[in-house]
Amino acid sequence: MKLKMLVLSLVTAVPLLFLSGCEMVVFQPQGPVARSIMELINWSLMWMLLVVVVVFGLFGYIVWKYREKPENMGYEPPEEHGSTVLEIVWTAIPILIVIALTIPTVTTLYDLEDVPAGYEEKEPVVIHVTSADWKWIFSYPEEGIETINYVNIPEDTPVLFKLTSAGTMQSFWVPALGGQKYSMNKMETELYLVADNPGSYMGRNTNFNGRGYAQMEFEVLSQTDEEYDAWVKEVKETAPKLTEEKYMELLKPTHLGRLTYSNTHLAWINHADHDSELVTDPEDYRYHGYQGKIFDQEDKKSNEKDTTDVENNEEDHGGDHSGH
Amino acid sequence: MEVTIVGIKWDEILITGDPIILGSQIAILLTSLGIIGGLTYLKKWKWLWREWITTVDHKRIGIMYIVAAVLMFFRGGMDGLMMKAQTARPEMSILDSQHYNEVFTAHGVIMILFMAMPFLIGLMNVVIPLQIGARDVAFPQLNALSFWLFFSGAMLFNIAFVVGGAPDAGWTSYFPLAGKEFSPGIGNNYYAISLQIAGLGTLMTGINFIVTILKMRTKGMTLMRMPMFTWTTLITSVIIVAAFPIFTVALALMTFDRLYGTHFFTVAAGGSDMLWANLFWLWGHPEVYIVILPAFGMFSEIISTFSRKQLYGYKSMVVSIVAIAVLSMLVWVHHFYTMGSGALVNSFFSITTMMIAVPTGVKMFNWLFTMRKGRIKMTTAMLWSLAFVPNFVIGGVTGVMLAMGAADYQYHNTLFLVAHFHYVLIPGVVFAVFAGLYYWWPKMFGFMLNEKLGKWHFWLFVIGFNVTFMPMFFLGLNGAVRRAYTYSAESGFAPLFMLSAVGSVILAAGFAVFCYNIYWSIRYADRNISSDPWDARTLEWATSSPVQHYNFAKLPEVKSLDAFWYMKKNNEGITLKDEEIEEIHMPSNSGLPFLMCVAFGIVGFFLIFEWHLLAAVSTVLIIAGLIYRSFDYNDGYHIHKDEIRKTESTWKKMEGKVNNHVS
């Protein structure tokens, strides 16, 4: 039994140990969005700690007090069916706790859909995020620039990320700045983030999407307005132009380093459009093992391989339907 | 080198080029040869066929389920250990990315569907008919078919990594990744087909147990006098019947997409990947409760027995499981709050999810108050049930935290989530099946598992479990994500990952002691024990251990809850008078379920490899089996009075002079 108490005290000591040296990214918010989530988490932690203390305490007390020992072998426990009063009590208290957690959860959920409070005056910077296997493509339509695997933002300014995917489903997450959201092909999801100060923050994909998933990271660099403007200007002047051909090459399932262009791919395709074409090729995803049959991708408008005119017409027809 | 003959690419069938897989291929070959050789040498083929493969006896089917589950636990555990080894240090290269993806997919599918489910269904099979005082389940041959379909699916899934390529899109198999567009290999066909076959078996089990519990209870056992494990099994079966058809449909649509080029879930041509996520979790969340509810039932039985008290708040326990069952169908969106459904939808599902904490909390307090004023006997089975309480509370409170939609934006897909569901499923399900196994082992085999080894097993496993999964909460909050095969040294994740890996070794040591305990007890445990070694309360202990194949010579009559406890107390209904013995009608054995397993396996294998003509031709086997069954007029047989008299007198005579190993 001593061993059991030892284990129990260890189990409770370990979290405290970690919390005291708390450096975890979720508890180090660098912007109002992440901060509001952290406040919600802290609120829930407080209640949950209360639950843990009460149940663990009761558990330890009961198990210790009523354990079988040589002295009480003759003790025959009483017959006891339950207690309506007690059962109402331990139904009501969890309900109250759930209510206490529900209210801030719902308000935070609604708040996160909008520009963070206090930043409504500022015009948000719009950045289109296109996730592909296995890289992040950031397009600044206003500025007319495009970056890959890094994104620069001005500090203290709301940034509206419009998320979509060129193929598989990803999840866009910058834990220091806020929560995550999925990016999906032919869909657009939106996420507002703000960075308080200049700084560099890790961002990554959290939704498993194949072999290159582990390394699918990017950097968010928050800059002062002057630095940011200078950077935009510099990119516009010095970075090369992205061509459609080059873009299709980029979308192949590969890892890329950082790349910068002085135009955006939105000029020829926005993967968020419901009738945009799926441009990935299953052949690029072949790996070991037995290979199954690959079917024509019916919304490919220009299939280079073995397509006849008849099939092309049919495919256009199919595309029309899915578009309306 | 490409070798294609009659449309089959022979060179691609076996996976080559990976030493671990090559080793497994050799090991599988040697083990198969060893089993075949051993059976032939010991001349056990006939015995195997007559006593086990063709059996329709619920107890034997249950034992086969449990044996399969323990084997699958080993396989899934090895996968887990490989993942822990790979992530023990940053930038390790034990497994490459593809192999790691296959391993975590296999780990998830096997642990949930081929370990937890059959383990619980196995114990349900052994115990439920006995607990309700019946002689078998309602449809014994269907029960055998359920087992063999599960077995067929499990075996198909297990050969994937050496033959043709393993599924690699996670146990959730989200589209578009799992579609042909991004996974052109046949690996994910294994997922679609083998889970379909096993799922059919589970659905039949659900139907079978609903009918069994509703129609075959012994005299006097009203619904509100049923033991709690019977109640949870009934409700679980209802959830199975409600939820599994969703999975059946989803898998069928997946099969069409992958095999025949339809577009239900693809991104091309108007399919919806979000539809898969919804359908999957519309089944997947109830599935979690399908495995947790029977576990709750077992804990209720064991806590009550070893506290020597009736279950506290029986009625509110029943209401709670019904409430959990209803809520389980209303929470699936909490698996993807981050899909962008909007604040209203997320608020709704946050609230329904948090509400599950209420009935679960009620159960928790009822268990605690069952022990209060009791006399708690620290047997191994009870230790597992005790450890369940604090560990499950940690899983529960982190579950409430995850349920809060807005907060989930920071937890989603991180190791915080992984730690949470292991804290729910391991204390909830794994502790329960271990508790159940120690508790009902003497009922199944007539001897007990060694209690001392059992305690080693317990402490190693529980400590190892906490050391493995506690660090994952903190890793997750620090930004470590699930399913990543590696991480950089700069991330700072290394120490906690290392700690977690050490924990997994302790966990594995616990499992090894468990296996040794089974071996030791089979060889050395005392056979001369009581049929009721724990001084238990429910009807399964009112008959012999191991249970004679007809279960009860005379069906017991129930007058209250905890029927056997009061039969012992009031000394009534225990003795068997000679004039009470009657002939007993029993179902005959049948080889058909096993043959159906083979037929489904063959058709499934051909479908997985997309050899459609072969698949279509071999479907004839399944149809033949169905036709044969509909012309099967075998009505079973009767056991003669003499035989019953003989069996009953042997075990009752022994009762006076047994050894007690529970102290």
Side-chain angles (χ1 to χ4, degrees):
Chain A
M1 279 326 293
K2 282 216 175 99
L3 194 58
K4 167 158 243 155
M5 293 316 255
L6 187 75
V7 172
L8 277 180
S9 52
L10 270 179
V11 166
T12 39
V14 168
L16 294 174
L17 206 74
F18 282 107
L19 286 173
S20 60
C22 173
E23 294 277 304
M24 290 171 289
V25 65
V26 168
F27 292 105
Q28 303 270 310
Q30 302 297 321
V33 178
R35 204 172 306 116
S36 68
I37 297 179
M38 184 195 68
E39 279 158 12
L40 183 66
I41 291 175
N42 285 340
W43 172 252
S44 71
L45 268 177
M46 196 185 76
W47 287 102
M48 293 301 109
L49 208 61
L50 181 76
V51 171
V52 167
V53 167
V54 169
V55 178
F56 278 39
L58 203 58
F59 171 76
Y61 169 77
I62 289 174
V63 171
W64 186 252
K65 177 147 188 224
Y66 297 101
R67 76 192 190 284
E68 185 175 87
K69 31 195 175 202
E71 307 92 88
N72 72 354
M73 289 304 285
Y75 166 68
E76 201 49 42
E79 289 200 14
E80 196 183 25
H81 299 282
S83 150
T84 316
V85 178
L86 277 175
E87 281 163 50
I88 288 172
V89 168
W90 60 59
T91 312
I93 292 176
I95 289 177
L96 293 178
I97 295 178
V98 167
I99 291 171
L101 295 174
T102 296
I103 294 164
T105 301
V106 172
T107 53
T108 313
L109 275 169
Y110 275 91
D111 290 347
L112 292 179
E113 296 289 312
D114 273 321
V115 183
Y119 294 87
E120 293 89 346
E121 301 298 306
K122 277 200 170 177
E123 186 64 26
V125 175
V126 176
I127 300 177
H128 286 252
V129 181
T130 306
S131 52
D133 290 345
W134 293 285
K135 73 264 312 172
W136 291 95
I137 303 165
F138 299 93
S139 319
Y140 299 65
E142 288 286 314
E143 292 77 3
I145 59 179
E146 185 148 301
T147 59
I148 292 179
N149 288 335
Y150 77 100
V151 56
N152 289 11
I153 55 169
E155 63 162 331
D156 265 332
T157 311
V159 182
L160 172 58
F161 290 98
K162 289 175 174 268
L163 313 169
T164 189
S165 165
T168 55
M169 185 195 285
Q170 284 86 357
S171 187
F172 174 90
W173 189 36
V174 189
L177 299 183
Q180 58 190 295
K181 206 162 255 188
Y182 285 168
S183 60
M184 292 170 284
N185 189 248
K186 299 179 188 181
M187 284 287 152
E188 187 168 87
T189 42
E190 292 186 346
L191 183 67
Y192 283 100
L193 295 178
V194 183
D196 288 332
N197 297 304
S200 161
Y201 310 109
M202 184 273 295
R204 65 157 301 134
N205 170 23
T206 74
N207 195 62
F208 173 66
N209 65 333
R211 279 191 298 286
Y213 159 72
Q215 291 93 354
M216 201 172 152
E217 295 180 341
F218 59 95
E219 184 198 356
V220 181
L221 186 66
S222 160
Q223 300 174 303
T224 60
D225 286 349
E226 300 79 56
E227 280 171 348
Y228 176 75
D229 292 337
W231 172 77
V232 170
K233 189 157 171 272
E234 192 201 328
V235 169
K236 288 180 87 110
E237 283 165 7
T238 61
K241 292 268 179 213
L242 180 61
T243 62
E244 188 165 354
E245 205 180 337
K246 173 77 184 153
Y247 179 71
M248 294 306 164
E249 195 60 33
L250 294 182
L251 289 186
K252 293 207 161 142
T254 51
H255 287 294
L256 300 172
R258 294 175 174 225
L259 294 169
T260 315
Y261 297 101
S262 56
N263 59 332
T264 76
H265 76 269
L266 299 174
W268 55 84
I269 188 166
N270 182 353
H271 302 281
D273 286 346
H274 195 259
D275 4 324
S276 67
E277 185 188 334
L278 180 67
V279 292
T280 53
D281 184 352
E283 294 293 339
D284 295 333
Y285 288 87
R286 287 205 184 281
Y287 202 66
H288 70 193
Y290 200 87
Q291 298 303 312
K293 181 176 187 232
I294 289 176
F295 303 95
D296 288 339
Q297 291 173 18
E298 287 179 21
D299 63 355
K300 262 203 170 172
K301 289 184 183 87
S302 53
N303 203 334
E304 304 94 62
K305 291 166 217 152
D306 61 51
T307 40
T308 64
D309 286 333
V310 182
E311 271 172 345
N312 257 332
N313 286 338
E314 277 173 5
E315 277 153 18
D316 283 345
H317 187 66
D320 279 350
H321 270 293
S322 63
H324 295 285
Chain B
M1 182 185 69
E2 255 183 63
V3 193
T4 307
I5 306 169
V6 290
I8 294 171
K9 291 169 271 182
W10 296 95
D11 56 315
E12 289 180 358
I13 290 180
L14 282 182
I15 301 292
T16 51
D18 186 314
I20 302 176
I21 291 177
L22 182 66
S24 312
Q25 285 164 334
I26 294 168
I28 290 171
L29 189 72
L30 291 179
T31 315
S32 315
L33 287 176
I35 292 172
I36 293 170
L39 284 169
T40 314
Y41 180 74
L42 297 168
K43 301 201 173 69
K44 288 284 188 188
W45 282 107
K46 216 174 206 170
W47 165 83
L48 189 68
W49 176 261
R50 242 197 343 235
E51 301 289 316
W52 293 96
I53 291 176
T54 60
T55 190
V56 294
D57 180 342
H58 68 97
K59 302 174 289 295
R60 289 181 178 232
I61 290 171
I63 290 168
M64 289 195 290
Y65 264 117
I66 293 168
V67 170
V70 172
L71 290 176
M72 289 297 103
F73 201 153
F74 179 77
R75 162 85 206 270
M78 288 307 281
D79 287 333
L81 284 178
M82 281 159 81
M83 286 152 69
K84 282 286 139 201
Q86 165 62 22
T87 54
R89 305 286 308 141
E91 315 285 354
M92 285 274 261
S93 49
I94 298 172
L95 302 176
D96 64 18
S97 167
Q98 174 67 23
H99 200 166
Y100 187 85
N101 300 345
E102 294 176 6
V103 166
F104 75 66
T105 304
H107 174 78
V109 172
I110 288 176
M111 284 305 203
I112 290 278
L113 290 157
F114 299 139
M115 189 285 284
M117 293 283 289
F119 221 133
L120 293 163
I121 291 177
L123 287 166
M124 277 155 56
N125 257 295
V126 171
V127 177
I128 294 301
L130 293 168
Q131 267 196 343
I132 61 172
R135 293 213 166 96
D136 206 321
V137 293
F139 310 112
Q141 192 167 332
L142 187 73
N143 199 22
L145 183 62
S146 287
F147 170 77
W148 286 109
L149 286 182
F150 144 73
F151 192 76
S152 180
M155 287 304 109
L156 267 184
F157 190 87
N158 270 277
I159 59 167
F161 78 115
V162 291
V163 184
D168 56 358
W171 90 281
T172 51
S173 252
Y174 269 20
F175 276 80
L177 179 64
K180 271 284 175 60
E181 293 154 332
F182 301 100
S183 299
I186 59 150
N188 288 295
N189 293 354
Y190 268 109
Y191 180 95
I193 304 291
S194 61
L195 296 198
Q196 186 70 283
I197 295 173
L200 289 175
T202 310
L203 186 54
M204 292 172 193
T205 300
I207 295 167
N208 212 339
F209 275 90
I210 291 179
V211 179
T212 304
I213 294 173
L214 290 182
K215 302 296 284 185
M216 297 184 61
R217 277 166 291 134
T218 190
K219 199 176 161 198
M221 183 174 277
T222 57
L223 285 176
M224 292 312 275
R225 284 181 191 166
M226 293 199 307
M228 195 44 63
F229 184 40
T230 304
W231 255 114
T232 55
T233 300
L234 174 65
I235 300 300
T236 296
S237 304
V238 172
I239 309 181
I240 288 177
V241 173
F244 262 78
I246 304 171
F247 198 41
T248 305
V249 170
L251 285 174
L253 300 183
M254 178 193 240
T255 308
F256 293 152
D257 271 12
R258 288 192 54 89
L259 265 56
Y260 309 113
T262 55
H263 295 282
F264 292 104
F265 306 127
T266 60
V267 276
S272 169
D273 45 352
M274 294 182 290
L275 179 62
W276 168 264
N278 277 282
L279 289 177
F280 180 85
W281 286 115
L282 204 46
W283 160 78
H285 199 86
E287 164 66 16
V288 178
Y289 292 93
I290 289 169
V291 295
I292 208 79
L293 285 184
F296 283 176
M298 293 185 204
F299 287 131
S300 301
E301 303 287 335
I302 291 166
I303 288 175
S304 165
T305 297
F306 293 114
S307 306
R308 299 179 72 80
K309 272 184 74 207
Q310 200 179 68
L311 190 64
Y312 196 88
Y314 175 88
K315 276 186 200 150
S316 62
M317 289 298 233
V318 173
V319 174
S320 301
I321 48 176
V322 175
I324 291 174
V326 172
L327 285 171
S328 79
M329 305 296 287
L330 298 173
V331 298
W332 77 97
V333 170
H334 71 216
H335 294 274
F336 43 85
Y337 285 136
T338 54
M339 200 176 257
S341 319
L344 181 65
V345 171
N346 285 355
S347 298
F348 176 83
F349 285 96
S350 294
I351 294 168
T352 54
T353 307
M354 280 191 273
M355 272 162 58
I356 289 182
V358 177
T360 317
V362 170
K363 296 187 78 71
M364 206 43 103
F365 283 106
N366 279 332
W367 284 316
L368 287 175
F369 273 68
T370 305
M371 293 191 282
R372 186 171 154 265
K373 294 187 187 165
R375 169 149 63 88
I376 304 170
K377 196 186 268 298
M378 300 289 171
T379 58
T380 308
M382 187 60 175
L383 283 179
W384 288 110
S385 313
L386 289 176
F388 154 76
V389 172
N391 286 297
F392 191 78
V393 165
I394 295 176
V397 295
T398 49
V400 173
M401 290 167 70
L402 278 153
M404 301 161 65
D408 179 69
Y409 294 163
Q410 287 285 36
Y411 309 133
H412 184 66
N413 274 347
T414 67
L415 291 184
F416 185 87
L417 166 78
V418 177
H420 154 71
F421 69 67
H422 282 90
Y423 260 92
V424 178
L425 287 172
I426 293 179
V429 182
V430 179
F431 287 12
V433 294
F434 283 145
L437 204 60
Y438 279 90
Y439 182 64
W440 281 301
W441 188 276
K443 192 43 53 189
M444 287 188 265
F445 300 107
F447 59 93
M448 288 156 64
L449 285 171
N450 184 299
E451 283 283 301
K452 200 168 175 190
L453 286 170
K455 278 164 194 169
W456 273 99
H457 167 208
F458 169 78
W459 285 108
L460 285 170
F461 200 92
V462 172
I463 293 171
F465 156 72
N466 275 288
V467 177
T468 307
F469 294 102
M470 184 59 78
M472 286 189 170
F473 283 119
F474 302 98
L475 280 169
L477 292 171
N478 202 15
V481 293
R482 70 193 294 199
R483 293 174 170 175
Y485 80 105
T486 193
Y487 52 93
S488 64
E490 302 85 67
S491 62
F493 299 155
L496 286 180
F497 264 119
M498 190 66 200
L499 183 61
S500 174
V502 170
S504 69
V505 175
I506 304 174
L507 193 67
F511 187 77
V513 174
F514 164 65
C515 295
Y516 177 69
N517 194 355
I518 293 179
Y519 166 79
W520 188 94
S521 305
I522 289 175
R523 290 209 59 173
Y524 305 114
D526 186 2
R527 262 58 178 178
N528 188 23
I529 58 160
S530 160
S531 59
D532 174 28
W534 312 116
D535 201 1
R537 314 174 72 85
T538 39
L539 284 181
E540 72 270 30
W541 303 100
T543 186
S544 145
S545 302
V547 183
Q548 60 278 45
H549 65 290
Y550 51 81
N551 291 359
F552 299 97
K554 172 189 73 172
L555 292 180
E557 195 182 332
V558 172
K559 296 199 174 129
S560 66
L561 202 59
D562 288 344
F564 183 51
W565 181 257
Y566 292 102
M567 280 161 75
K568 285 190 285 189
K569 245 185 155 175
N570 307 333
N571 199 14
E572 58 183 1
I574 297 183
T575 47
L576 179 70
K577 293 189 201 83
D578 197 56
E579 65 269 21
E580 288 173 333
I581 294 178
E582 282 170 21
E583 286 200 340
I584 295 171
H585 177 238
M586 296 299 288
S588 303
N589 283 4
S590 167
L592 191 60
F594 175 73
L595 297 177
M596 289 296 262
C597 155
V598 176
F600 269 93
I602 292 171
V603 175
F605 187 81
F606 290 152
L607 278 178
I608 287 164
F609 278 80
E610 304 181 6
W611 300 332
H612 300 297
L613 190 64
L614 284 171
V617 171
S618 46
T619 308
V620 172
L621 292 172
I622 296 177
I623 295 168
L626 296 175
I627 293 172
Y628 177 82
R629 174 69 179 139
S630 30
F631 289 97
D632 179 6
Y633 296 112
N634 188 329
D635 257 353
Y637 64 99
H638 286 87
I639 306 173
H640 290 293
K641 286 183 186 178
D642 288 343
E643 196 190 331
I644 300 168
R645 216 169 272 134
K646 210 173 122 206
T647 317
E648 292 300 310
S649 63
T650 347
W651 77 268
K652 293 234 161 156
K653 219 188 295 174
M654 281 177 53
E655 287 296 291
K657 38 197 172 177
V658 292
N659 301 325
N660 183 9
H661 295 275
V662 192
S663 53

